Amino acid sequence: MTTAPHSGKGLSRRNLFSLGGAAALTIAGGSSAALAGGLRGAGNVDWPGLRKALDGSLYLPGDPAYAQAALPYNSALGPRTPAAIAMVNGRTDIKRCLTRAAGHGIPIASRSGGHSYAGYSTPDGGLVIDVSRANKITFKDDGTVQIGAGARLSEVYAALAARGRALPGGSCPSVGIAGLTLGGGIGVLSRPYGLTCDHLTSAHVVTAGGELLRADAKRNADLFWALRGGGGGQGGVVTDLTFATVAAPTVTVFSLTFPTPATPAALSAWSQWIETAPKAISSVCHINSGTATDPSPRNRIVGTFVGTPSKLPPHLSTLIAAVGTDPTARTVKSYTYLGAMQHFAGKNTGREKFRAASRVLKGTLSTAQAQQVTDLMAARRGLVLLLDSLGGEVADLSPTDTAFVHRKALASVQIYTSSATGDPAVLAVQKALTPLTGPGSYVNYLNAGQNDWGSAYWGKNLTRLRKVVKKYDPDGVLDFAQNARNA
């Protein structure tokens, strides 16, 4: 399962944050003419037989629906040509895909929202098992909610809010719940409520061998551990996830912009402020590269506060005092839970073009270190650093309690550009940041060109995760370049 970045107008990921998610598989059905054109020879898979066996749809090249279904969310990745895309209706279809396509020499990938940063969920020449139709949301008598792996975050948040409940998660409305959760699930409410995966109580998984398993704290506990932060697309295909929820809170959203010359001070002050801020506050610090006419990096600090709105201003005053200058822009507004998530989503304009990578900030930045970051961004154009706060409830678990290893970090740092050719610049900034941040990276921000990806994504959890993945997928049926088995 993988995730990808999203932003948009206002406080959505295109301009401010980045998340993502991809964690399902799809197979596409093709016309007789297309099959006659040699597609049946792709790995010697019996595509007509698979199409006939599915309750859902199979798209093959030449089918009317194939071209749109084959597009990756990230348009910077260019066109993809999977051998087939299976739009599955549920667990039985997933099993049919795996048992019929495995062992035929083609890549098989799962896809839910399709936001894989590196496009791993839509492999060329492979079978995509797309679970986007498996999006049913069912509330249980015990207060939990079972969510189909293909449900989008916008659907999840709306359904929860209608019941007065909430789940912490990302800001991009079209991200799939499965991909977000499997990579951990950093979001705008992480500090008061933890990661999305911290609320997972169980999941159903079709293993690479076609076996349906339930994973929870007692059954297949090793798999349950891996599902919480190990990343998508590994070991099996998740069909649905069950979560414990919290009461939907009032969410106060704030935004502060400081004068451009104060950007280093704002970054350093923010890092020290968020380290000691109450759990009720989550925040993202944005450092934007300069322009051709003004190379000075700009700043913006946005965030959320869960609690009585009148209690937030003193905390913002503490941050402002630490920066040492008044903000040039300041907004504070309270929303319902659903209203806040819609605010951060901005305008969802469909597919996006971007390049991104990440680091994980271990601790606070001194004024001198913040100046180094600012100088680095002054030499760039069209880049933004998005520092998403961790800590709070995220840090209450041990780094080994789940596969998400960055429990004690201060923040994730996403390096993001909307330039389709910006990958070299993104990786150069990632390398330059490493002495300041540490070598960690967030698995939901995959970058295919990152050399240290195994240790960066999983750290000391890598050996255990690799063992779990090989146990449930011994033959590498769901293999891809940055699968933990290859690290």
Side-chain angles (χ1 to χ4, degrees), residues 61-419:
D63 286 345
Y66 172 87
Q68 183 66 31
L71 292 173
Y73 177 80
N74 182 3
S75 60
L77 299 174
R80 292 297 173 97
T81 55
I85 303 170
M87 307 299 297
V88 298
N89 281 359
R91 301 170 183 173
T92 302
D93 273 356
I94 294 171
K95 181 176 180 178
R96 289 165 179 158
C97 289
L98 289 169
T99 56
R100 287 172 175 265
H104 289 283
I106 65 168
I108 302 175
S110 61
R111 185 176 76 185
S112 59
H115 285 245
S116 171
Y117 274 34
Y120 291 135
S121 59
T122 310
D124 286 329
L127 170 62
V128 177
I129 300 175
D130 190 303
V131 299
S132 57
R133 294 181 181 178
N135 61 355
K136 185 177 181 181
I137 300 174
T138 304
F139 291 87
K140 304 294 189 68
D141 292 339
D142 63 0
T144 61
V145 60
Q146 185 179 52
I147 304 175
R152 303 298 205 266
L153 295 188
S154 58
E155 300 169 326
V156 172
Y157 297 152
L160 288 169
R163 294 290 189 108
R165 308 302 294 175
L167 187 67
S171 61
C172 177
S174 61
V175 162
I177 185 65
L180 173 72
T181 303
L182 296 171
I186 297 172
V188 297
L189 296 174
S190 290
R191 297 186 83 251
Y193 298 119
L195 303 174
T196 310
C197 74
D198 297 341
H199 293 257
L200 186 69
T201 61
S202 67
H204 284 98
V205 180
V206 179
T207 69
E211 182 182 6
L212 176 65
L213 300 177
R214 176 185 169 107
D216 57 29
K218 295 182 179 179
R219 287 162 288 192
N220 304 299
D222 56 348
L223 179 59
F224 184 58
W225 175 87
L227 294 177
R228 292 172 292 158
Q234 309 189 79
V237 179
V238 172
T239 68
D240 55 80
L241 310 99
T242 298
F243 297 94
T245 62
V246 299
T250 295
V251 181
T252 301
V253 177
F254 62 88
S255 175
L256 302 172
T257 301
F258 291 93
T260 298
T263 292
L267 174 57
S268 177
W270 175 85
S271 72
Q272 297 173 52
W273 172 75
I274 199 62
E275 182 185 46
T276 58
K279 291 181 179 181
I281 296 177
S282 290
S283 182
V284 182
C285 181
H286 307 255
I287 305 297
N288 290 76
S289 61
T291 65
T293 55
D294 183 3
S296 301
R298 295 157 290 136
N299 65 83
R300 189 180 185 191
I301 295 170
V302 301
T304 61
F305 175 75
V306 174
T308 305
S310 61
K311 294 184 178 180
L312 173 62
H315 296 295
L316 297 184
S317 295
T318 298
L319 172 59
I320 293 168
V323 176
T325 187
D326 289 335
T328 56
R330 172 175 177 164
T331 61
V332 179
K333 184 176 181 179
S334 293
Y335 295 86
T336 63
Y337 162 70
L338 181 58
M341 301 315 294
Q342 291 172 336
H343 168 75
F344 283 108
K347 293 183 178 179
N348 187 20
T349 57
R351 299 171 65 232
E352 294 185 13
K353 176 183 65 177
F354 63 90
R355 294 290 187 177
S358 70
R359 277 301 181 215
V360 174
L361 180 62
K362 286 185 175 181
T364 60
L365 294 170
S366 67
T367 302
Q369 290 172 325
Q371 184 66 59
Q372 291 180 58
V373 175
T374 306
D375 291 345
L376 176 64
M377 294 299 282
R380 303 289 175 179
R381 298 293 177 267
L383 286 175
V384 60
L385 300 182
L386 304 165
L387 289 82
D388 285 76
S389 63
L390 296 172
E393 287 290 324
V394 178
D396 282 355
L397 293 178
S398 163
T400 58
D401 283 345
T402 69
F404 183 87
V405 74
H406 308 298
R407 293 286 176 181
K408 306 305 179 182
L410 182 77
S412 71
V413 185
Q414 182 169 195
I415 309 141
Y416 182 91
T417 178
S418 58
S419 169

